[in-house]
Amino acid sequence: MTDKKYKTLIVWFRRDLRLHDNAALFEAIAQAEMVIPLFVFDPAILERADTGAARVTFLVDALGVLDANLQKAGGRLIIRRGSVPEEILKAVEEFGADGVFHHREYEPMGKARDEAVAKALAERGKVCEAFSGLSLFEPGEILSQARTPYTVFGPYKRQWFDRPAEGPLPAPHAITLPQGTKSDPLPTAAELKFTTTQKFECGGEDAAHEILYEFVKTKIDEYDTERDILGSDGTSRLSRHLHLGTISPRFIIDTVRRAGRESAGRTTFLSELAWHDFYLQILVHFPHVAGGAFRPHYDALEWENDEELFAAWKEGRTGYPIVDAAMRQLNSEAWMHNRGRMIVASFLTKDLLIDWRKGERYFMQQLVDGDLSANNGGWQWAAGTGTDAQPYFRIFNPTSQGEKFDPNGTYVKEWVPELSRVPAKFIHQPWKLSEAEREHLGCSEYPQPVVDHAIQRGRALALYGKVSKS
Ligand SMILES: Cc1cc2nc3c(=O)[nH]c(=O)nc-3n(C[C@H](O)[C@H](O)[C@H](O)COP(=O)(O)OP(=O)(O)OC[C@H]3O[C@@H](n4cnc5c(N)ncnc54)[C@H](O)[C@@H]3O)c2cc1C
């Protein structure tokens, strides 16, 4: 006799590809005699225009690691390909499962899918339980005194820091799988029709832990001063892992807090993680941000949307070295430094007068960490249409941003090799070199600025001024 509540439960993995701090897996093992870990490749996600090859490549790799780690505990990952909820219902039937445990999803498409699955399971008398796992606190847990969601980061962050949080759950030691459970083979990204020339680190949960421990050991205390320097590798690079849940925010925060002494670097790092939760709760409470401006009057902005300028921006040939370096980093590494993201987003909207949603989508297609809520929050911040947005009349100057955050041009020279011999004095404004100097320094092929920042600044102010309420 067993005292477990269920005989068999399916744990449906999605953006929680880990064994540590996995509430759905932990609870399923506690409550069922047998547990079936399942992942479904859903065409509805794979065929979306903003699903990029880098994320699919990273996903497939992380699933391989998850399977290997599940096997060490006596289980294995069962792979299926097909539409949800059909594949979930088929698996429930095939394995005679009592139901499905999974983590809660907040993106509009994921929420709708989960509601459909829960309904279909309920109609068949099966259980469907959702757990918290994407953020430290659930959207809705941190509210203002008036019980309304925060739309300004400062007070949200203060509560986020002060509120007691539970520690992470341990990884399971033993998983009991029903006999003869069969899986489809794990497809490669190419088999799923995704290929990329971008080069980036993968490695699933094991890599995520290594990165975190190394970051906490060697970099975190200088994070507050190094994080904004473009040429310095001063950030954690954990975003891709947070996006697919190969590590949980709770695990990261617990590791940082347990590592000992306080430092400004640690506090700054934790407050960056709070941004992750902040934007998630914005998406949940204000779902209209997924398609339009947080402040809807900005939807009336009359963008110019010049396709040639958009192509120059995407390809990193705008003639503004800091913009081009950042875009080339994105195109080759599937990742971009946060300061770079702010600069190129401001440049697209305020200098090129192109709709922020076009940039948002391009980022989603290219980024290995592309994440609807963080990406949307970042874009709306830069475009001045969002929650805590910088006011529209504060416009980043790409030259002074370069001089401030890449003072020696190290970052520009890494990503724009045509400029590698240009002295620091001109690295952020090579257009000031004479033709003979450009020839001599080997950068005559580097484009002249596609627009004049001073002129475009005035035009942006006029564009925003027409619709602004402030
Ligand atoms: C226009 C724009 C688009 C962005 N798109 C994304 C995106 O698609 N996915 C994404 O994860 N982040 C996005 N960000 C936020 C930020 O740039 C990245 O999280 C960060 O650069 C990732 O590198 P890291 O892991 O080394 O960050 P670290 O500096 O080490 O920060 C640690 C973690 O905190 C979180 N974080 C840090 N800054 C932010 C922020 N501003 N907003 C939300 N979370 C944050 C991330 O999860 C990050 O991994 C965007 C920012 C801007 C301005």
Side-chain angles (χ1 to χ4, degrees):
M1 272 297 278
T2 164
D3 54 359
K4 301 242 173 153
K5 192 168 167 190
Y6 302 109
K7 187 159 188 315
T8 309
L9 282 174
I10 287 177
V11 175
W12 178 21
F13 282 85
R14 297 101 59 91
R15 292 208 285 143
D16 48 5
L17 308 182
R18 58 179 184 264
L19 262 56
H20 291 82
D21 199 28
N22 187 318
L25 181 64
F26 185 88
E27 281 301 326
I29 291 170
Q31 296 185 34
E33 286 169 38
M34 288 179 290
V35 167
I36 297 161
L38 174 74
F39 184 87
V40 181
F41 283 96
D42 183 357
I45 296 178
L46 294 174
E47 288 163 13
R48 276 174 62 135
D50 62 359
T51 298
R55 274 199 311 292
V56 174
T57 306
F58 185 82
L59 164 73
V60 167
D61 190 79
L63 289 170
V65 175
L66 178 65
D67 183 34
N69 289 339
L70 285 166
Q71 291 197 27
K72 282 183 206 151
R76 70 176 294 196
L77 186 63
I78 306 302
I79 301 287
R80 293 286 186 266
R81 278 169 78 169
S83 301
V84 171
E86 288 79 4
E87 288 300 321
I88 300 293
L89 296 177
K90 265 203 254 168
V92 166
E93 185 143 319
E94 179 184 338
F95 300 120
D98 298 292
V100 175
F101 281 12
H102 62 80
H103 284 106
R104 219 162 276 131
E105 176 59 81
Y106 301 101
E107 295 187 0
M109 187 182 165
K111 264 172 83 172
R113 174 201 59 196
D114 291 356
E115 279 160 20
V117 169
K119 185 166 172 277
L121 288 170
E123 282 164 5
R124 287 158 181 79
K126 303 289 181 184
V127 291
C128 183
E129 241 184 273
F131 297 84
S132 163
L134 263 185
S135 48
L136 180 64
F137 297 112
E138 287 281 86
E141 255 186 276
I142 295 186
L143 294 171
S144 73
Q145 275 191 341
R147 311 295 301 155
T148 53
Y150 281 114
T151 57
V152 174
F153 181 62
Y156 176 87
K157 181 181 82 172
R158 281 192 284 283
Q159 269 213 48
W160 189 92
F161 264 95
D162 291 347
R163 207 180 168 86
E166 283 174 25
L169 296 163
H173 294 300
I175 298 169
T176 309
L177 203 66
Q179 293 259 309
T181 315
K182 290 204 178 65
S183 170
D184 293 350
L186 176 63
T188 62
E191 281 162 356
L192 294 168
K193 306 207 171 9
F194 287 91
T195 51
T196 178
T197 53
Q198 293 169 305
K199 301 263 179 293
F200 46 88
E201 300 279 328
C202 291
E205 182 171 18
D206 298 356
H209 287 190
E210 269 173 42
I211 292 169
L212 173 65
Y213 295 142
E214 188 60 24
F215 176 72
V216 169
K217 204 164 103 192
T218 60
K219 290 187 186 162
I220 197 169
D221 291 324
E222 281 75 49
Y223 178 81
D224 54 323
T225 49
E226 288 300 308
R227 62 178 287 269
D228 243 351
I229 306 299
L230 277 154
S232 155
D233 192 16
T235 67
S236 71
R237 300 220 181 194
L238 279 167
S239 49
R240 66 199 69 187
H241 292 286
L242 275 160
H243 171 68
L244 269 185
T246 43
I247 199 161
S248 74
R250 212 155 56 164
F251 188 94
I252 297 178
I253 292 156
D254 183 68
T255 305
V256 170
R257 287 189 171 147
R258 259 133 59 74
R261 70 204 176 280
E262 294 285 318
S263 71
R266 276 162 208 251
T267 309
T268 311
F269 178 69
L270 292 176
S271 71
E272 290 308 307
L273 284 168
W275 275 111
H276 172 271
D277 284 15
F278 176 74
Y279 282 138
L280 189 64
Q281 58 101 40
I282 291 291
L283 177 65
V284 171
H285 295 298
F286 306 95
H288 70 275
V289 298
F294 172 78
R295 298 169 203 277
H297 58 275
Y298 282 117
D299 283 335
L301 277 165
E302 287 169 6
W303 303 105
E304 294 190 353
N305 290 335
D306 181 311
E307 282 303 323
E308 276 180 32
L309 291 178
F310 187 43
W313 178 82
K314 286 195 285 191
E315 291 159 21
R317 46 178 184 78
T318 66
Y320 284 91
I322 202 73
V323 173
D324 294 344
M327 292 307 293
R328 293 187 198 185
Q329 179 179 34
L330 172 66
N331 294 335
S332 46
E333 283 198 339
W335 182 86
M336 191 196 289
H337 192 284
N338 181 59
R339 175 57 53 179
R341 297 187 203 210
M342 292 196 285
I343 295 170
V344 304
S346 174
F347 189 80
L348 186 80
T349 50
K350 312 273 179 66
D351 282 76
L352 301 184
L353 309 180
I354 291 176
D355 192 334
W356 59 271
R357 284 166 291 201
K358 287 171 79 84
E360 180 195 28
R361 173 179 283 208
Y362 186 69
F363 264 34
M364 284 305 280
Q365 289 163 341
Q366 299 300 319
L367 281 169
V368 67
D369 66 16
D371 180 279
L372 174 57
S373 56
N375 193 39
N376 181 273
W379 272 96
Q380 297 224 34
W381 182 90
T385 60
T387 49
D388 237 358
Q390 63 159 356
Y392 76 86
F393 46 82
R394 249 192 253 146
I395 294 179
F396 275 18
N397 177 327
T399 308
S400 51
Q401 285 286 315
E403 286 166 353
K404 188 163 176 202
F405 298 106
D406 185 31
N408 303 316
T410 319
Y411 179 72
V412 164
K413 289 183 180 190
E414 180 180 355
W415 294 105
V416 189
E418 307 95 288
L419 299 177
S420 60
R421 289 170 49 213
V422 173
K425 187 174 169 214
F426 293 105
I427 193 72
H428 295 296
Q429 36 192 343
W431 56 86
K432 289 203 167 161
L433 294 164
S434 67
E435 218 171 298
E437 285 168 326
R438 286 165 69 86
E439 188 83 27
H440 173 69
L441 294 166
C443 64
S444 42
E445 297 293 306
Y446 182 70
Q448 291 291 335
V450 288
V451 291
D452 180 318
H453 172 70
I455 295 174
Q456 295 304 97
R457 184 175 184 282
R459 298 186 68 217
L461 290 175
L463 194 81
Y464 276 77
K466 272 207 253 171
V467 301
S468 171
K469 288 190 174 163
S470 57

